[in-house]
Amino acid sequence: MEETFPFHFPLSACLLSLLSTLFFLLDVALDVWAIMSLYQDGQYVYMGVLIALLLCSSILVHVFSWIWYSDPETSTGKFASIDKFAREYGLIGPLHVVQLGLFLRFASLVEISICKIIQRSDRSQEGVAVFLKHDLSVLRLFEMFSESVPQLVLMITFTMQKQGLQLFTGFKIAGSLMSIAISVLLYHCNMRDFVPEDQKMGWSSSAVFFLWNLFLITPRVLAVALFASILPCYIAAHFLSWWVLLFLWAWRQKTDFMDNEGGEWLYRATVGLIWYFSWFKVSKGKTKVKSIIYHVCMGADIGLLLGLWFWKRSVDSARLNPLPFNPYVLIGALPALYITGLLLKLLYYWKFHPNCPSLRFKDRDETPQIQLPRRASEADDSVEMVSADLEYQQTVSGTWKRMRNMVINFYY
């Protein structure tokens, strides 16, 4: 058997956890500031839409968090003292009802990180931190596509309708798009924790992964925002039409992420929301054909949205503010960016995506196996072998199941 590689919670992960907590608090503060700015400017419609986006996203994320806290696998075992206190006094449910469940998760991770930094944590706490970090990365991914990306679409729409594009506003939009691509990269780096050290993401692979996500997400976000700025009454119908189709497609892929049927349907609905903006692999096995179909459909939709935007602006040009840029440049640049993103994605999967050869062991028909840490209650220096063929595995649930299936979906 090849040499195993145990999973730890290193100091670098502790510092990143503390930094991510600060960014989470900053994000909350910026959301409040955005609402107050719209209120002071008298933009009550946009303020109402923003509040609705924030509230719906928060409810979605906290429903997932509450379901995961309620899992029997996480109802026993070792926890951070903050978690223990909340469980002992029955505060888990109330905290999620008042939308403070994520604060509880971040507080627990911060506690373990600080204990690790001052050399007061044991291996079991590090195991808990690994699971906390994974669940938080998934929740933040859901939050990004249900809040941050729609909020960016709203900001671009507001800019195009009311203010006109200014240099500072352009930098803010570019920075927001880059932060979204960085968030996707960080989530992918979290998945790379489950591969050997020699297959971790280097600078070159990280750069290519970041760029292809940036070049694929940017045209999609801008096309949706431009369409919403000129035909705001139709954007809801456009989103719902695509979301229903994508939701049904996620159902057809027979996802297996949650522990109960209701939770699985909620997950599929969330996948449909993510797919509206970006591709997300949710099933094991080769998905080349599915990915091609998705990108062809999204590329055609981007072209349709841009065409409708250009046509409507041409028809109503007399009553609209003049654009600070040549629309023909935008019509040509966004499809070019999308094609460039596709080429970079092909480059990434050709040169940088790990095949995980050191994770393969002889088992039935060379079924790939993945090394994951034991459950937090059993955390030690050993690892558990998990076959990528779910059919032959014992029943697992909770964070253990989510981690295992995510890794399998990413690499097999």
Side-chain angles (χ1 to χ4, degrees), residues 48-64:
V49 173
L50 178 57
I51 292 175
L53 286 176
L54 296 175
L55 185 59
C56 291
S57 173
S58 181
I59 291 174
L60 174 68
V61 171
H62 281 84
V63 167
F64 274 110

PDB file of all heavy atoms in Angstrom, residues 48-64:
ATOM      1  N   GLY A  48     -35.052  47.719  -1.436  1.00  0.00           N
ATOM      2  CA  GLY A  48     -35.928  46.582  -1.154  1.00  0.00           C
ATOM      3  C   GLY A  48     -35.449  45.314  -1.832  1.00  0.00           C
ATOM      4  O   GLY A  48     -35.467  44.230  -1.223  1.00  0.00           O
ATOM      5  N   VAL A  49     -34.999  45.435  -3.095  1.00  0.00           N
ATOM      6  CA  VAL A  49     -34.480  44.254  -3.805  1.00  0.00           C
ATOM      7  C   VAL A  49     -33.235  43.730  -3.106  1.00  0.00           C
ATOM      8  O   VAL A  49     -33.070  42.513  -2.934  1.00  0.00           O
ATOM      9  CB  VAL A  49     -34.181  44.603  -5.275  1.00  0.00           C
ATOM     10  CG1 VAL A  49     -33.490  43.425  -5.968  1.00  0.00           C
ATOM     11  CG2 VAL A  49     -35.456  44.964  -6.012  1.00  0.00           C
ATOM     12  N   LEU A  50     -32.340  44.628  -2.682  1.00  0.00           N
ATOM     13  CA  LEU A  50     -31.113  44.207  -1.997  1.00  0.00           C
ATOM     14  C   LEU A  50     -31.434  43.513  -0.680  1.00  0.00           C
ATOM     15  O   LEU A  50     -30.849  42.465  -0.360  1.00  0.00           O
ATOM     16  CB  LEU A  50     -30.217  45.425  -1.756  1.00  0.00           C
ATOM     17  CG  LEU A  50     -28.911  45.145  -1.000  1.00  0.00           C
ATOM     18  CD1 LEU A  50     -28.074  44.099  -1.723  1.00  0.00           C
ATOM     19  CD2 LEU A  50     -28.114  46.431  -0.804  1.00  0.00           C
ATOM     20  N   ILE A  51     -32.348  44.076   0.102  1.00  0.00           N
ATOM     21  CA  ILE A  51     -32.731  43.446   1.366  1.00  0.00           C
ATOM     22  C   ILE A  51     -33.327  42.062   1.111  1.00  0.00           C
ATOM     23  O   ILE A  51     -33.033  41.095   1.838  1.00  0.00           O
ATOM     24  CB  ILE A  51     -33.721  44.342   2.137  1.00  0.00           C
ATOM     25  CG1 ILE A  51     -33.019  45.612   2.615  1.00  0.00           C
ATOM     26  CG2 ILE A  51     -34.318  43.594   3.325  1.00  0.00           C
ATOM     27  CD1 ILE A  51     -33.947  46.618   3.278  1.00  0.00           C
ATOM     28  N   ALA A  52     -34.149  41.942   0.069  1.00  0.00           N
ATOM     29  CA  ALA A  52     -34.745  40.643  -0.270  1.00  0.00           C
ATOM     30  C   ALA A  52     -33.666  39.629  -0.642  1.00  0.00           C
ATOM     31  O   ALA A  52     -33.717  38.459  -0.218  1.00  0.00           O
ATOM     32  CB  ALA A  52     -35.741  40.807  -1.413  1.00  0.00           C
ATOM     33  N   LEU A  53     -32.661  40.065  -1.426  1.00  0.00           N
ATOM     34  CA  LEU A  53     -31.565  39.165  -1.796  1.00  0.00           C
ATOM     35  C   LEU A  53     -30.794  38.702  -0.565  1.00  0.00           C
ATOM     36  O   LEU A  53     -30.504  37.512  -0.405  1.00  0.00           O
ATOM     37  CB  LEU A  53     -30.615  39.871  -2.768  1.00  0.00           C
ATOM     38  CG  LEU A  53     -31.091  40.063  -4.215  1.00  0.00           C
ATOM     39  CD1 LEU A  53     -30.067  40.874  -4.993  1.00  0.00           C
ATOM     40  CD2 LEU A  53     -31.315  38.716  -4.886  1.00  0.00           C
ATOM     41  N   LEU A  54     -30.452  39.651   0.302  1.00  0.00           N
ATOM     42  CA  LEU A  54     -29.691  39.315   1.505  1.00  0.00           C
ATOM     43  C   LEU A  54     -30.477  38.383   2.411  1.00  0.00           C
ATOM     44  O   LEU A  54     -29.928  37.418   2.965  1.00  0.00           O
ATOM     45  CB  LEU A  54     -29.308  40.590   2.254  1.00  0.00           C
ATOM     46  CG  LEU A  54     -28.372  41.556   1.530  1.00  0.00           C
ATOM     47  CD1 LEU A  54     -28.182  42.823   2.356  1.00  0.00           C
ATOM     48  CD2 LEU A  54     -27.034  40.903   1.256  1.00  0.00           C
ATOM     49  N   LEU A  55     -31.765  38.655   2.563  1.00  0.00           N
ATOM     50  CA  LEU A  55     -32.586  37.847   3.460  1.00  0.00           C
ATOM     51  C   LEU A  55     -32.764  36.432   2.905  1.00  0.00           C
ATOM     52  O   LEU A  55     -32.609  35.446   3.647  1.00  0.00           O
ATOM     53  CB  LEU A  55     -33.942  38.516   3.658  1.00  0.00           C
ATOM     54  CG  LEU A  55     -34.886  37.855   4.672  1.00  0.00           C
ATOM     55  CD1 LEU A  55     -34.233  37.797   6.046  1.00  0.00           C
ATOM     56  CD2 LEU A  55     -36.210  38.597   4.737  1.00  0.00           C
ATOM     57  N   CYS A  56     -33.067  36.323   1.620  1.00  0.00           N
ATOM     58  CA  CYS A  56     -33.266  34.997   1.021  1.00  0.00           C
ATOM     59  C   CYS A  56     -31.981  34.177   1.068  1.00  0.00           C
ATOM     60  O   CYS A  56     -32.001  32.968   1.366  1.00  0.00           O
ATOM     61  CB  CYS A  56     -33.743  35.132  -0.423  1.00  0.00           C
ATOM     62  SG  CYS A  56     -35.423  35.778  -0.586  1.00  0.00           S
ATOM     63  N   SER A  57     -30.849  34.809   0.778  1.00  0.00           N
ATOM     64  CA  SER A  57     -29.571  34.108   0.835  1.00  0.00           C
ATOM     65  C   SER A  57     -29.257  33.645   2.255  1.00  0.00           C
ATOM     66  O   SER A  57     -28.823  32.509   2.481  1.00  0.00           O
ATOM     67  CB  SER A  57     -28.453  35.020   0.332  1.00  0.00           C
ATOM     68  OG  SER A  57     -27.190  34.422   0.525  1.00  0.00           O
ATOM     69  N   SER A  58     -29.485  34.535   3.218  1.00  0.00           N
ATOM     70  CA  SER A  58     -29.212  34.182   4.617  1.00  0.00           C
ATOM     71  C   SER A  58     -30.095  33.025   5.075  1.00  0.00           C
ATOM     72  O   SER A  58     -29.625  32.101   5.762  1.00  0.00           O
ATOM     73  CB  SER A  58     -29.429  35.409   5.505  1.00  0.00           C
ATOM     74  OG  SER A  58     -29.149  35.117   6.858  1.00  0.00           O
ATOM     75  N   ILE A  59     -31.365  33.052   4.705  1.00  0.00           N
ATOM     76  CA  ILE A  59     -32.269  31.964   5.083  1.00  0.00           C
ATOM     77  C   ILE A  59     -31.811  30.649   4.464  1.00  0.00           C
ATOM     78  O   ILE A  59     -31.772  29.594   5.131  1.00  0.00           O
ATOM     79  CB  ILE A  59     -33.710  32.296   4.654  1.00  0.00           C
ATOM     80  CG1 ILE A  59     -34.260  33.444   5.498  1.00  0.00           C
ATOM     81  CG2 ILE A  59     -34.614  31.063   4.797  1.00  0.00           C
ATOM     82  CD1 ILE A  59     -35.620  33.948   5.050  1.00  0.00           C
ATOM     83  N   LEU A  60     -31.437  30.686   3.177  1.00  0.00           N
ATOM     84  CA  LEU A  60     -30.971  29.475   2.500  1.00  0.00           C
ATOM     85  C   LEU A  60     -29.756  28.880   3.196  1.00  0.00           C
ATOM     86  O   LEU A  60     -29.721  27.674   3.509  1.00  0.00           O
ATOM     87  CB  LEU A  60     -30.622  29.808   1.044  1.00  0.00           C
ATOM     88  CG  LEU A  60     -29.984  28.680   0.222  1.00  0.00           C
ATOM     89  CD1 LEU A  60     -30.982  27.574  -0.025  1.00  0.00           C
ATOM     90  CD2 LEU A  60     -29.428  29.225  -1.092  1.00  0.00           C
ATOM     91  N   VAL A  61     -28.767  29.714   3.472  1.00  0.00           N
ATOM     92  CA  VAL A  61     -27.531  29.226   4.094  1.00  0.00           C
ATOM     93  C   VAL A  61     -27.798  28.694   5.495  1.00  0.00           C
ATOM     94  O   VAL A  61     -27.257  27.651   5.893  1.00  0.00           O
ATOM     95  CB  VAL A  61     -26.485  30.358   4.120  1.00  0.00           C
ATOM     96  CG1 VAL A  61     -25.280  29.952   4.957  1.00  0.00           C
ATOM     97  CG2 VAL A  61     -26.042  30.706   2.702  1.00  0.00           C
ATOM     98  N   HIS A  62     -28.648  29.381   6.250  1.00  0.00           N
ATOM     99  CA  HIS A  62     -28.907  28.943   7.628  1.00  0.00           C
ATOM    100  C   HIS A  62     -29.779  27.694   7.685  1.00  0.00           C
ATOM    101  O   HIS A  62     -29.687  26.917   8.642  1.00  0.00           O
ATOM    102  CB  HIS A  62     -29.535  30.081   8.432  1.00  0.00           C
ATOM    103  CG  HIS A  62     -28.541  31.088   8.904  1.00  0.00           C
ATOM    104  ND1 HIS A  62     -28.099  32.129   8.121  1.00  0.00           N
ATOM    105  CD2 HIS A  62     -27.864  31.192  10.078  1.00  0.00           C
ATOM    106  CE1 HIS A  62     -27.214  32.840   8.796  1.00  0.00           C
ATOM    107  NE2 HIS A  62     -27.049  32.302   9.976  1.00  0.00           N
ATOM    108  N   VAL A  63     -30.607  27.480   6.675  1.00  0.00           N
ATOM    109  CA  VAL A  63     -31.346  26.214   6.624  1.00  0.00           C
ATOM    110  C   VAL A  63     -30.376  25.057   6.448  1.00  0.00           C
ATOM    111  O   VAL A  63     -30.478  24.021   7.137  1.00  0.00           O
ATOM    112  CB  VAL A  63     -32.391  26.244   5.484  1.00  0.00           C
ATOM    113  CG1 VAL A  63     -32.935  24.840   5.222  1.00  0.00           C
ATOM    114  CG2 VAL A  63     -33.531  27.182   5.837  1.00  0.00           C
ATOM    115  N   PHE A  64     -29.413  25.218   5.527  1.00  0.00           N
ATOM    116  CA  PHE A  64     -28.393  24.184   5.362  1.00  0.00           C
ATOM    117  C   PHE A  64     -27.618  23.969   6.657  1.00  0.00           C
ATOM    118  O   PHE A  64     -27.395  22.833   7.088  1.00  0.00           O
ATOM    119  CB  PHE A  64     -27.423  24.572   4.244  1.00  0.00           C
ATOM    120  CG  PHE A  64     -27.877  24.177   2.865  1.00  0.00           C
ATOM    121  CD1 PHE A  64     -28.279  25.144   1.960  1.00  0.00           C
ATOM    122  CD2 PHE A  64     -27.906  22.849   2.476  1.00  0.00           C
ATOM    123  CE1 PHE A  64     -28.705  24.798   0.683  1.00  0.00           C
ATOM    124  CE2 PHE A  64     -28.327  22.491   1.202  1.00  0.00           C
ATOM    125  CZ  PHE A  64     -28.727  23.460   0.307  1.00  0.00           C
TER     126      PHE A  64
END
